[in-house]
Amino acid sequence: NKTVKAHFIAKEEMVFAGKEIITQGFRECVVNKIRNDGEKIKEGETIAIIKGQIVTILQKERVILNLLQRLSGVASTTNVLAQRLKKHDIQLLDTRKTTPGLREFEKFAVSVGGGINHRFSLKEAVMIKDNHLIGNPDLKDAVEKAAAQNPGKDIEVEVDTLQQLEEALETKATSILLDNFCPKKLPDTINYIRSHKNGTSIYIELSGGINLENIDQYCIKGVNGISMGVLTHNIKSKDISLDLK
């Protein structure tokens, strides 16, 4: 039952995410110092200092650190990519490719890092993909039914060919997802959409094969958002230690 101080130390540079994980996870302890979500923290800096019984801290240490490290990794990666897109006025969107049970945590970390939360679940918005058209190959009919059953919600159609794009623009879709389009051909594709009578205000999203190395090739005028599953499903956790004093 000895009372100690626990110092959370950043072992590398990061964008921190997880303030509430510390304050709620260690609610039996006194928080003497804590950094805010979204703060950039340098290697060696203190993230938080708490005071409490050693048995309480040791029981929860691993779970708390696992979450902090994971979420700070998500926030840090998101921040790097979001800054690249910000100057082009393009939103960085997350996906539903999240760790089972941790979606709200990971999407929160994306928001902290400067990204935009796309849909949390299927009920948030409608996305019509190839698999959905197996049951109803009539895209126009599928969109009309989706719009009728989901008033006021975004109806997005995923396309990966110009023919599909032409069909999608003749529907009541409010968003178009261009999947795995060659970046060299995208400027002409974007111009085609914007010149169409139904494409002047439609939301244009890009996805597929986009990463930190090639993202600049996709920063094209007229694009509204770029979605990247890598924000949550292929993240390197940040190194954070907890030292007792």
Side-chain angles (χ1 to χ4, degrees):
N1 294 325
K2 183 176 181 179
T3 297
V4 296
K5 282 187 177 181
H7 294 240
F8 292 83
I9 307 296
K11 308 297 285 187
E12 59 182 311
E13 188 174 316
M14 69 184 69
V15 174
F16 172 63
K19 180 179 179 180
E20 288 298 318
I21 291 172
I22 295 176
T23 57
Q24 294 187 43
F26 288 112
R27 59 185 179 276
E28 304 94 339
C29 301
V30 175
V31 178
N32 290 342
K33 173 184 178 181
I34 191 165
R35 304 289 287 270
N36 291 318
D37 293 313
E39 281 195 60
K40 292 186 177 181
I41 299 176
K42 297 179 181 179
E43 179 182 351
E45 289 187 341
T46 300
I47 295 172
I49 300 174
I50 64 173
K51 184 178 181 181
Q53 289 189 341
I54 189 170
V55 64
T56 297
I57 295 172
L58 292 179
Q59 283 175 339
K60 300 181 178 183
E61 172 188 14
R62 189 69 265 154
V63 173
I64 299 296
L65 283 175
N66 286 348
L67 286 169
L68 295 178
Q69 292 176 147
R70 174 77 180 170
L71 299 195
S72 295
V74 171
S76 299
T77 298
T78 300
N79 185 256
V80 172
L81 291 163
Q83 292 302 316
R84 298 273 283 272
L85 297 184
K86 187 176 181 180
K87 58 186 176 183
H88 300 283
D89 197 27
I90 297 174
Q91 295 179 327
L92 178 63
L93 311 173
D94 58 17
T95 69
R96 292 185 299 119
K97 298 175 183 177
T98 53
T99 306
L102 296 181
R103 178 167 295 171
E104 291 202 31
F105 288 85
E106 292 177 345
K107 281 184 170 283
F108 169 74
V110 167
S111 179
V112 164
I116 303 295
N117 293 145
H118 215 334
R119 54 183 185 163
F120 274 80
S121 66
L122 294 176
K123 70 179 181 179
E124 303 289 334
V126 177
M127 170 84 79
I128 298 177
K129 300 185 178 185
D130 286 347
N131 281 346
H132 303 128
L133 296 175
I134 297 298
N136 182 4
D138 187 335
L139 179 59
K140 189 171 184 179
D141 180 62
V143 171
E144 287 181 356
K145 287 179 178 177
Q149 295 173 21
N150 299 274
K153 292 185 179 179
D154 181 32
I155 311 296
E156 185 166 25
V157 175
E158 179 185 275
V159 302
D160 51 27
T161 67
L162 290 176
Q163 181 181 348
Q164 290 177 339
L165 176 59
E166 292 172 1
E167 294 177 16
L169 287 172
E170 295 301 323
T171 71
K172 296 180 179 179
T174 51
S175 296
I176 295 286
L177 171 57
L178 302 177
D179 186 43
N180 285 302
F181 271 64
C182 173
K184 292 182 179 179
K185 296 180 179 180
L186 274 172
D188 290 339
T189 305
I190 302 299
N191 289 334
Y192 169 71
I193 295 172
R194 293 304 184 203
S195 62
H196 192 280
K197 66 181 188 301
N198 295 330
T200 54
S201 60
I202 202 166
Y203 189 96
I204 299 176
E205 177 185 342
L206 306 181
S207 186
I210 305 173
N211 53 50
L212 185 61
E213 285 70 39
N214 65 16
I215 194 169
D216 291 333
Q217 300 176 39
Y218 293 87
C219 295
I220 299 165
K221 185 177 181 181
V223 173
N224 299 110
I226 293 177
S227 58
M228 300 178 68
V230 70
L231 297 182
T232 51
H233 78 67
N234 191 24
I235 286 297
K236 182 180 182 298
S237 295
K238 290 296 182 179
D239 191 2
I240 300 172
S241 68
L242 186 146
D243 298 334
L244 298 184
K245 306 290 184 182

